[in-house]
Amino acid sequence: MSGAAKKGPGNLKLLKDAFIITTGGTVMFAGHQIYKGNEKFYKEYVMPFFQLFDAETSHKMAVKAAKYKLVPKSKIPPHPVLASRVFDRDFPSPVGLAAGFDKDGEAVDGMLKMGFSFVEVGSVTPNPQPGNEKPRVFRLKEDKAVINRYGFNSEGHDKVYNRLKVREVEPPVVVPGIMGVNLGKNKTSSYPVEDYVQGVRKFGKVADYLVINISSPNTPGLRAMQGKDMLDMLLEKVLSERDHIRGRKPPLLVKIAPDLTDQDKIDIAEVVLNRKESLGGLIISNTTVSRPDSLKSPHKDEVGGLSGEPLKDLSTKTISDMYKLTEGKVPIIGVGGLVQVKMLMIKSKKGPPVIGKINRELSELLIKDGYRSITEAVGANHKTKS
Ligand SMILES: Cc1cc2nc3c(=O)[nH]c(=O)nc-3n(C[C@H](O)[C@H](O)[C@H](O)COP(=O)(O)O)c2cc1C
């Protein structure tokens, strides 16, 4: 490694990161198989290797691997049937990476290279903060799930922005693709609304879309911002800040929880419908604080947000309810179903090659059902029922 000969804190950091990635011995064969994206190799060796470490360490290792692009390049571009245009952006496929994996914007190029059609960085808070004490991420192996209580560990706006600003440079020097930035608030912030306004100001020019995350369960009081009056006031402020951005204005989306009452959903739909001309859409959903009876893992009672397989029905129901309540007039990005994927990649044990596989199978299904484009299939379930 020629860089190893150089001195200085930057190189030390690089060496440290490289050490994290290569601990365990990366031999040439493994490197080649990883690069090629051999599905069987991932299933039998790479993913079990990651499982040897605690959940947070393997998360960190995966981020560093993507940061240094030690990840396979997706081999076949998504079938054109998967392409869609949503809020004035062209998405080559509906499979994107949800917030929470690349919290500090280190791995955008690597994840795009792997075949994600869009990557959502964050949540990012205005000031750096460490998040909750460790351990704070738990695998629920028996339930194909994870509980996390990270609590918005973030390097803060400035550091993350400095990493991402390269995406503003023309001609692009980065892997092309769509990048969203998910905004959070500091734990001890006295003016939470201002935290989001600052986020819009900071990332408005670099992000292809921005997410107002008011649904993570690990920041006290955050979910209360989903209440009708609070949400309306918050949207007023962040939309007005967004409208002040010169040039291209990024769409704003609101990420909501799966633990809402029927009345909460009606209220959110009303606020969102009133602002449908200026709002980009909804992201549904964040993790749940509920604990389905079906859970078997010893970690099931850890405090935090549950994601993965046991969240699927709840998030699908929330998507369906919100689709109906907003009369199909507000774009919805679903998490856990079609679309933003994170835990699937980790929990299915198939690793990165699973992205190409989802794209392939999805396009086959659409073509088999006679759709010419994925846009035609949106809301199809509701249309047949009504
Ligand atoms: C470890 C972990 C960290 C997460 N961090 C964030 C976050 O910072 N901001 C956010 O909006 N969602 C975060 N999420 C929620 C995910 O983006 C996603 O909404 C949720 O996990 C449901 O999808 P899944 O079941 O496919 O994982 C996190 C999820 C996990 C598992």
Side-chain angles (χ1 to χ4, degrees), residues 60-371:
K60 257 192 211 152
M61 288 163 64
V63 172
K64 299 301 176 199
K67 175 172 179 172
Y68 297 112
K69 305 209 186 76
L70 298 170
V71 288
K73 187 172 178 336
S74 74
K75 281 175 275 185
I76 312 162
H79 191 285
V81 75
L82 296 178
S84 58
R85 193 166 170 79
V86 187
F87 42 72
D88 285 340
R89 299 289 186 281
D90 287 310
F91 289 77
S93 103
V95 184
L97 180 69
F101 176 78
D102 186 13
K103 283 180 179 275
D104 295 312
E106 299 173 89
V108 180
D109 280 0
M111 298 320 267
L112 290 172
K113 176 185 158 195
M114 254 163 52
F116 283 109
S117 142
F118 57 108
V119 172
E120 194 172 306
V121 168
S123 296
V124 193
T125 56
N127 297 317
Q129 63 173 33
N132 291 324
E133 267 177 35
K134 296 177 189 169
R136 50 192 180 176
V137 196
F138 305 87
R139 291 189 188 100
L140 278 66
K141 275 193 205 129
E142 299 80 352
D143 306 300
K144 298 196 174 101
V146 164
I147 291 177
N148 93 83
R149 52 169 180 269
Y150 267 120
F152 286 165
N153 48 320
S154 172
E155 290 187 340
H157 283 177
D158 287 348
K159 200 153 178 192
V160 176
Y161 172 77
N162 285 336
R163 221 170 254 143
L164 298 179
K165 68 182 179 199
V166 64
R167 304 196 76 81
E168 284 179 51
V169 177
E170 287 287 344
V173 290
V174 290
V175 179
I178 292 172
M179 182 203 62
V181 176
N182 178 307
L183 304 171
K185 77 159 198 85
N186 278 115
K187 186 176 180 184
T188 54
S189 166
S190 316
Y191 304 103
V193 173
E194 189 50 33
D195 284 20
Y196 292 96
V197 171
Q198 274 182 34
V200 174
R201 200 177 302 140
K202 190 83 193 178
F203 294 100
K205 282 188 90 65
V206 71
D208 292 301
Y209 69 92
L210 290 171
V211 182
I212 306 298
N213 173 19
I214 43 174
S215 49
S216 287
N218 305 308
T219 296
L222 189 81
R223 286 185 165 192
M225 297 180 86
Q226 297 173 115
K228 195 172 175 181
D229 295 343
M230 191 64 194
L231 179 61
D232 198 46
M233 196 261 279
L234 172 66
L235 291 185
E236 170 85 45
K237 301 266 194 241
V238 288
L239 285 168
S240 144
E241 185 63 37
R242 190 276 312 267
D243 291 341
H244 280 99
I245 296 171
R246 274 201 232 120
R248 208 190 58 172
K249 301 181 197 316
L252 284 190
L253 291 100
V254 179
K255 184 163 178 180
I256 61 172
D259 306 313
L260 300 163
T261 63
D262 288 345
Q263 189 58 50
D264 294 335
K265 290 180 197 167
I266 293 169
D267 290 347
I268 293 174
E270 194 185 318
V271 173
V272 163
L273 264 179
N274 279 339
R275 296 186 182 275
K276 66 175 187 307
E277 306 306 335
S278 44
L279 199 66
L282 290 170
I283 299 192
I284 306 173
S285 73
N286 219 309
T287 54
T288 177
V289 291
S290 70
R291 296 291 182 265
D293 291 340
S294 61
L295 296 183
K296 296 181 202 74
S297 162
H299 290 303
K300 67 181 181 182
D301 293 320
E302 288 292 345
V303 171
L306 172 74
S307 56
E309 187 72 26
L311 171 65
K312 204 163 93 191
D313 287 350
L314 198 56
S315 77
T316 308
K317 165 110 175 60
T318 314
I319 292 170
S320 169
D321 288 350
M322 293 310 293
Y323 182 82
K324 275 185 262 176
L325 288 166
T326 53
E327 303 155 18
K329 291 176 183 160
V330 177
I332 293 176
I333 296 188
V335 191
L338 237 199
V339 276
Q340 276 188 329
V341 182
K342 171 150 55 59
M343 295 326 300
L344 178 64
M345 196 169 70
I346 298 163
K347 287 188 295 266
S348 70
K349 301 210 177 115
K350 290 180 187 145
V354 81
I355 305 157
K357 196 171 162 166
I358 300 171
N359 277 338
R360 205 168 52 239
E361 291 179 358
L362 193 56
S363 57
E364 284 165 7
L365 277 176
L366 286 165
I367 293 165
K368 187 169 140 260
D369 287 348
Y371 291 110

